[in-house]
Amino acid sequence: MNMSEVEMRHIAEMVAALDKASGKRAANTASELNRQQICAALGVSESTIRRLEQVGLPYTPVGTRSKRYDLNECKN
C-alpha cells in the first residue's frame, strides 16, 4: 500500500497529538518519528523496519536504546 506524502504527514501529526495527550515527548519535527510511528506512516511492521535498518535505513540514535527516523529520508 502506497500512501501519499499528505497522508503520511497526517498520520505523523495524529500520532504526535496522541503522544502529547498521553504525556509522551513528541518528536522534534513532523517528520522525525519513533519506530511505531514510522511503521504506521509507511504501512509496514516493526520487523520490516528492523530488517531495513540492517541494510541501511537511515535513523538517528536517541539515548542508548531509542531511534528516530526522518520520514523523508526513509521514503527514498
Side-chain angles (χ1 to χ4, degrees):
M1 176 171 98
N2 289 334
M3 290 189 199
S4 72
E5 188 170 327
V6 172
E7 291 171 317
M8 285 189 246
R9 192 171 27 243
H10 181 67
I11 289 171
E13 289 168 359
M14 288 188 318
V15 171
L18 289 171
D19 284 350
K20 184 177 180 182
S22 68
K24 293 182 181 176
R25 181 183 85 72
N28 290 337
T29 67
S31 65
E32 187 181 279
L33 308 172
N34 66 28
R35 184 177 287 149
Q36 290 176 334
Q37 293 167 329
I38 198 71
C39 289
L42 298 176
V44 299
S45 69
E46 289 192 36
S47 60
T48 299
I49 293 296
R50 284 191 292 273
R51 279 194 305 275
L52 290 171
E53 286 174 6
Q54 293 175 348
V55 295
L57 181 73
Y59 64 86
T60 302
V62 178
T64 57
R65 297 181 56 161
S66 297
K67 299 174 183 173
R68 292 289 182 264
Y69 305 86
D70 184 288
L71 182 57
N72 295 324
E73 288 182 19
C74 292
K75 287 183 353 185
N76 296 329

